[in-house]
Every structure is written in structure tokens, then in C-alpha cells.
Amino acid sequence: MSIFLSKKKLINIRKLLNIFEFFKTTLVINLAVSSIAVLLGGFDYFFIMFLSFGFLVSICFKEFYRKSDYLFYSNNGVSKIQLWVFSYVFTFLTAVFIGFIIFLIK
């Protein structure tokens, strides 16, 4: 019984690592789109763009140009909805972390 539980935990860790890999690929596009807001309006607009428009652009990019990547995640037991939801949660946590760093600097 303990072997079964450990395999299940390993599977969950593997799923979480796959979701984090997906998040890292969306983060690059999201930061590129959101950095335009920093140039035009400041860090306040950065957070709005980072949590909304930048995230949507990165997901749309994945939908149009990297659609075959979803097959990899699906074969590892991670659905597209799980990828999107957890990726947005990670994006939100990243925005909180960046906001905290900016708060400490000011």
C-alpha cells in the first residue's frame, strides 16, 4: 500500500512539474507584452497587463503556434484547462512576488 501512495505522489509531482514548464513558456511571452506597459505607463499598468492581456496573449500564442505541445501535456495526464488555471495561479503569485519586491525597493 505504501508503494502505491508513493507512486501516486510521484505522478502528482510530475504533473506539477509539467504545469510549471508550461507556465515558464507562457511567462516569457507575458513579460514581453507587459514590458510595453512599463515603457508607456509605469509599473501600475504592468500589473494590469501582466494579469490580464499579457496572459491572454501568451495563451493565444500557445493556441496558434504551439498547439502540438498540448499533446505532450495530455499524454502526461494534464488537461488544457488544468494548464490554464494553474498557469494563471502561478502568474498571480509571480505578480504578487514582483509587487512585493517593488514595495521593498521603494
Side-chain angles (χ1 to χ4, degrees):
M1 188 69 166
S2 65
I3 294 172
F4 178 72
L5 291 176
S6 64
K7 281 186 178 181
K8 189 173 183 179
K9 286 182 182 178
L10 286 175
I11 290 171
N12 287 336
I13 290 171
R14 186 173 0 141
K15 283 183 180 182
L16 188 61
L17 289 174
N18 284 331
I19 291 170
F20 189 69
E21 266 316 303
F22 179 82
F23 163 71
K24 288 192 307 187
T25 60
T26 60
L27 183 65
V28 173
I29 299 166
N30 194 350
L31 286 172
V33 170
S34 301
S35 64
I36 296 169
V38 172
L39 296 174
L40 298 177
F43 280 106
D44 294 338
Y45 294 112
F46 170 79
F47 292 114
I48 294 168
M49 290 285 284
F50 187 72
L51 290 173
S52 61
F53 186 70
F55 181 74
L56 290 175
V57 167
S58 63
I59 292 297
C60 288
F61 176 81
K62 294 289 263 184
E63 276 292 315
F64 290 121
Y65 297 107
R66 301 284 183 185
K67 198 168 199 149
S68 62
D69 288 355
Y70 288 119
L71 183 61
F72 168 77
Y73 297 110
S74 178
N75 287 339
N76 285 314
V78 183
S79 71
K80 190 186 293 189
I81 300 298
Q82 286 176 330
L83 288 171
W84 292 353
V85 168
F86 281 106
S87 186
Y88 190 77
V89 168
F90 287 147
T91 300
F92 180 78
L93 293 175
T94 303
V96 168
F97 179 72
I98 292 171
F100 182 70
I101 296 296
I102 290 172
F103 175 76
L104 289 178
I105 291 173
K106 288 184 180 181

